[in-house]
Amino acid sequence: MSTLARARCRLGAHPSALDAGLAAAVLACMVAGSFADPHGPDGVTWGVRTPDPLSLLLMVLGAAALVLRRRAPLPVLAFTGCLSIVECVTGDPRAPVVMAAVVALYTVAATTDRSTTWRVGLLTMTVLTGAAMLAGPLPWYAQDNLAVFAWTGIGATAGDAVRSRRAFVRAIRERAEKAERTREEEARRRVAEERLRIARDLHDVVAHHIALVNVQAGVAAHVMDKRPDQAKEALAHVREASRSALNELRATVGLLRQSDDPKAPTEPAPGLDRLDELVATFHHAGLHIEVARADQGTALPTAVDLAAYRIIQEALTNVQKHAGPRARAEVSIVRVGPNIEVTVLDDGAGEADAPADGGGHGLLGMRERVTAVRGTLTTGPRYGGGFRVHAILPVRNHDDAAKDAV
């Protein structure tokens, strides 16, 4: 911080001391100006006259009133204006008592609004100039009378300019602070959204693969003694499911690495192109699934493609967990106009009950995914048994539509 800035900070911290110093400076200027004779034979001369005692008293009172100019600007202006009128009427030669009124008028203009400045400024200029011209000892066209009009106008104009500049600087500072708050809020919102997205991915990966591991481990334990070959096959599926889970977990958690970490994963997010692999894992777990696709090879945005994949994954995982081993599921993917519709049905032919609509983190995660891509999700039990998950996802996301509009 520069020396001038530090000095401004110190003065701003003590406004009363600053006003007292200003009052002393104004008094010194008025006293010094009272010794000048503007009507000398050789022009303006110095030291040729001594101010009257009344003029000295008026100057001291006017300067003393300026100490209170911040606390009561209008009363101080009225008081110094009255002192100036007295000097304009009685002073011959005239002392510059009007300086105190000019400073007071500047303070009013700098601390109030523009309409008040106009009204008070015009009133002050009219009253002081009129008193000097009509009741003063000098002719009405004297230079001293015109100087009263000019100096009061300068005081009002300067104060209004300072007030406008302060308002401009304050508005810029407020906009900067608002922009900073907006950036911080946006950063917090993005962090929260990213945390939710990672939590959904972790839930989907863990729920899907752990459910498959649980089923295959149960099969292996059941046939270990009588059919060891089938048990080995079940354990192989357990190993494959656990390896897939580790890979997906590594890819998801890797998002939390620093950008300069060379070990950060580069594998793309799963999509509908891996639907056959997903269905195969459930087939190995004993779930019968029929897939019907009528999307005509539609290229989906990454977010929509991932949402569709995760919705099918979570819905089939719920079928595996809740509908039982004898359940049958149907998966359909259909392109309908500007949307793609994903439907997962099961017949509920198992021992467990289907999840209640809206319950559990799985359904909540699906709903959050669909909402994030501006789609709609409908879930609920089917008539006659079973459960239905139906998602309508836009083929183009919001950002793509905005680019096309531009």
Side-chain angles (χ1 to χ4, degrees):
M1 184 182 294
S2 64
T3 304
L4 180 60
R6 287 195 294 268
R8 288 178 177 176
C9 291
R10 295 193 187 99
L11 291 176
H14 303 282
S16 299
L18 179 61
D19 290 340
L22 177 63
V26 171
L27 177 61
C29 292
M30 289 190 296
V31 172
S34 64
F35 284 93
D37 186 6
H39 306 292
D42 299 325
V44 178
T45 58
W46 292 87
V48 296
R49 68 184 179 95
T50 301
D52 296 334
L54 178 60
S55 297
L56 287 174
L57 177 62
L58 294 176
M59 287 186 286
V60 171
L61 292 176
L66 294 179
V67 178
L68 304 176
R69 68 187 185 96
R70 295 178 190 266
R71 302 177 185 176
L74 288 174
V76 169
L77 175 60
F79 180 73
T80 54
C82 292
L83 297 180
S84 300
I85 292 174
V86 173
E87 176 61 22
C88 289
V89 173
T90 62
D92 188 17
R94 188 177 297 164
V97 180
V98 74
M99 286 184 62
V102 171
V103 175
L105 180 59
Y106 163 84
T107 304
V108 171
T111 55
T112 59
D113 56 275
R114 178 159 294 175
S115 60
T116 302
T117 300
W118 274 97
R119 291 195 300 268
V120 175
L122 289 175
L123 178 63
T124 302
M125 286 188 293
T126 302
V127 172
L128 293 184
T129 305
M133 289 182 173
L134 300 178
L138 299 177
W140 69 270
Y141 53 84
Q143 184 177 1
D144 291 3
N145 298 335
L146 298 179
V148 172
F149 179 83
W151 280 108
T152 51
I154 290 173
T157 304
D160 183 71
V162 170
R163 179 195 56 77
S164 299
R165 182 181 180 279
R166 289 174 180 172
F168 178 73
V169 172
R170 184 165 53 251
I172 292 178
R173 186 180 296 112
E174 290 176 354
R175 284 198 295 268
E177 294 175 353
K178 183 178 180 180
E180 183 66 24
R181 289 194 302 268
T182 302
R183 284 193 296 269
E184 294 176 356
E185 293 173 358
E186 178 67 14
R188 286 194 295 267
R189 184 186 65 82
R190 290 183 179 273
V191 169
E193 290 180 352
E194 186 65 13
R195 290 176 61 186
L196 285 175
R197 190 187 67 80
I198 293 175
R200 288 194 299 265
D201 286 341
L202 289 175
H203 173 272
D204 293 343
V205 171
V206 171
H208 166 60
H209 291 289
I210 295 301
L212 296 181
V213 168
N214 179 62
V215 172
Q216 296 292 351
V219 171
H222 182 69
V223 300
M224 179 67 71
D225 296 332
K226 298 181 180 179
R227 286 176 288 179
D229 293 338
Q230 187 175 353
K232 289 181 180 180
E233 183 181 356
L235 291 177
H237 291 317
V238 169
R239 183 171 60 251
E240 181 64 25
S242 61
R243 182 166 53 248
S244 299
L246 288 175
N247 291 336
E248 293 197 37
L249 286 175
R250 187 179 297 110
T252 303
V253 177
L255 296 174
L256 303 177
R257 295 180 184 271
Q258 298 295 330
S259 59
D260 57 351
D261 193 338
K263 296 182 180 180
T266 58
E267 181 181 355
L272 293 180
D273 57 338
R274 295 175 55 182
L275 180 60
D276 293 338
E277 300 177 14
L278 177 65
V279 173
T281 60
F282 285 101
H283 277 308
H284 294 318
L287 180 62
H288 181 76
I289 304 173
E290 294 182 1
V291 179
R293 298 191 64 169
D295 51 348
Q296 292 85 34
T298 302
L300 299 177
T302 303
V304 177
D305 200 18
L306 176 61
Y309 178 87
R310 294 301 189 193
I311 289 170
I312 297 173
Q313 182 185 53
E314 178 61 28
L316 293 178
T317 301
N318 287 338
V319 174
Q320 182 73 42
K321 291 192 299 183
H322 299 286
R326 297 189 304 274
R328 301 172 64 90
E330 299 177 6
V331 177
S332 66
I333 304 171
V334 182
R335 171 71 182 269
V336 180
N339 303 316
I340 188 167
E341 298 188 8
V342 177
T343 307
V344 180
L345 307 173
D346 70 85
D347 57 8
E351 299 176 357
D353 295 330
D357 186 16
H361 294 289
L363 295 180
L364 177 61
M366 284 192 284
R367 197 171 302 280
E368 290 175 349
R369 287 186 184 279
V370 172
T371 302
V373 296
R374 301 178 182 271
T376 58
L377 177 71
T378 305
T379 60
R382 299 173 62 193
Y383 178 77
F387 201 77
R388 178 177 181 269
V389 175
H390 179 69
I392 301 177
L393 308 175
V395 173
R396 295 188 304 171
N397 57 25
H398 182 68
D399 294 336
D400 294 336
K403 292 179 181 178
D404 294 343
V406 174

